[in-house]
Amino acid sequence: MNSTYTCAECNTDLNLNSSYAYPPDFYFESGNKDSISFSAVDTTKFKFEKEDKIRPFFETLNYWGIQRKRTKIKCNTCNHLVGYIYDDGPPVTDSPGQFHMGPSQVIPRAPRYRFKSKAIRITSN
């Protein structure tokens, strides 16, 4: 079953492929509430804007910090914010982690494209 994902603001097709979508119950350190996550996107459909804030943030019990680095994902047509890129995807190496305590922010992780549910429209084909 394929789905079509469009911008909720301007109705532009975002060309997101359902085969790259993570399952809804897939665990991410920064959470997955009210969002749909993908492992890859068509970069021609989006604008990317780096965000670097130095202030406390709390996403989940295990995902918090002082400095938040993430990238905003905006619709290329209307410039509407549709989501963020987080670096909390699956580890890209088989390393046991720092002090053999599991993956951490030190281990490179695959990017996760997290789209806000309210910012996109989904229609099943």
Side-chain angles (χ1 to χ4, degrees):
M1 176 178 87
N2 281 340
S3 298
T4 303
Y5 301 88
T6 57
C7 177
E9 203 62 27
C10 67
N11 215 27
T12 300
D13 184 4
L14 300 176
N15 201 22
L16 296 170
N17 191 333
S18 298
S19 63
Y20 292 119
Y22 287 103
D25 59 346
F26 196 90
Y27 174 76
F28 292 105
E29 290 173 354
S30 64
N32 207 23
K33 186 178 179 185
D34 297 329
S35 64
I36 302 165
S37 298
F38 292 83
S39 60
V41 298
D42 179 2
T43 56
T44 62
K45 298 288 185 174
F46 305 101
K47 293 177 187 171
F48 301 100
E49 185 180 302
K50 297 269 185 207
E51 180 181 80
D52 191 0
K53 292 183 179 179
I54 297 181
R55 70 175 199 214
F57 70 91
F58 300 91
E59 291 275 349
T60 65
L61 188 61
N62 296 325
Y63 193 77
W64 59 275
I66 300 297
Q67 184 178 16
R68 168 181 275 176
K69 289 184 179 184
R70 63 184 180 181
T71 304
K72 292 180 180 180
I73 306 172
K74 295 184 174 185
C75 174
N76 213 4
T77 306
C78 67
N79 211 32
H80 181 69
L81 179 67
V82 292
Y84 296 95
I85 300 175
Y86 289 92
D87 291 325
D88 67 347
V92 293
T93 65
D94 289 336
S95 173
Q98 194 173 24
F99 308 116
H100 294 280
M101 305 218 27
S104 69
Q105 293 179 345
V106 178
I107 295 175
R109 299 174 75 91
R112 172 174 65 114
Y113 302 88
R114 181 178 177 186
F115 292 88
K116 299 185 294 183
S117 299
K118 293 178 181 178
I120 59 175
R121 281 197 194 98
I122 305 167
T123 53
S124 297
N125 298 340

